[in-house]
Amino acid sequence: MVNIIDWLDDRVQEIVDLSGHHAEKSDFRDQAKALVEAGVAEGFSIAEIKDACAGDVERYLLDHQNAMSDVLAQQRDDGSAGRGYGPH
C-alpha cells in the first residue's frame, strides 16, 4: 500500500486549480469530500487522511492552492523582468 503522504500529494496535484488564490476554505468543500472518499476507497481511514491534512482537509487544499498560485506568480514575475512588462 502506498504511503498516505505520497498518495495525498498525488491527489492534491490533481485537485488544485492554477487559476488563482482562494480566500475561503469553503471553496474546497466538495473537493475535500471527494478526496476523503477516494482515500477511504484506497484503504485509508478518515482519521489517517485528516491527520495527514493537519486535521482540516479543506484548509489543506486551500493552502496548497494558494502556495501553487504564489509560485506561479513568482515565476511570471521572474520571467518578465527586463522585458518591458510586469513589475520592475
Side-chain angles (χ1 to χ4, degrees):
M1 179 180 215
V2 71
N3 173 308
I4 183 76
I5 300 301
D6 292 338
W7 178 86
L8 189 58
D9 286 344
D10 289 342
R11 297 300 79 73
V12 167
Q13 293 302 315
E14 296 169 4
I15 292 171
V16 296
D17 176 12
L18 303 180
S19 64
H21 281 280
H22 294 271
E24 301 295 328
K25 72 178 197 152
S26 62
D27 292 341
F28 292 96
R29 185 175 298 123
D30 292 339
Q31 291 92 340
K33 182 179 177 183
L35 180 67
V36 170
E37 289 172 355
V40 169
E42 290 285 328
F44 299 110
S45 71
I46 294 172
E48 287 175 309
I49 297 164
K50 286 185 176 182
D51 281 348
C53 295
D56 190 335
V57 179
E58 291 173 24
R59 172 57 60 185
Y60 185 84
L61 293 174
L62 171 67
D63 290 347
H64 276 76
Q65 167 67 52
N66 289 338
M68 184 89 79
S69 296
D70 288 344
V71 167
L72 291 173
Q74 182 65 41
Q75 288 173 345
R76 282 192 300 269
D77 289 347
D78 289 346
S80 66
R83 293 195 180 112
Y85 54 89
H88 294 283

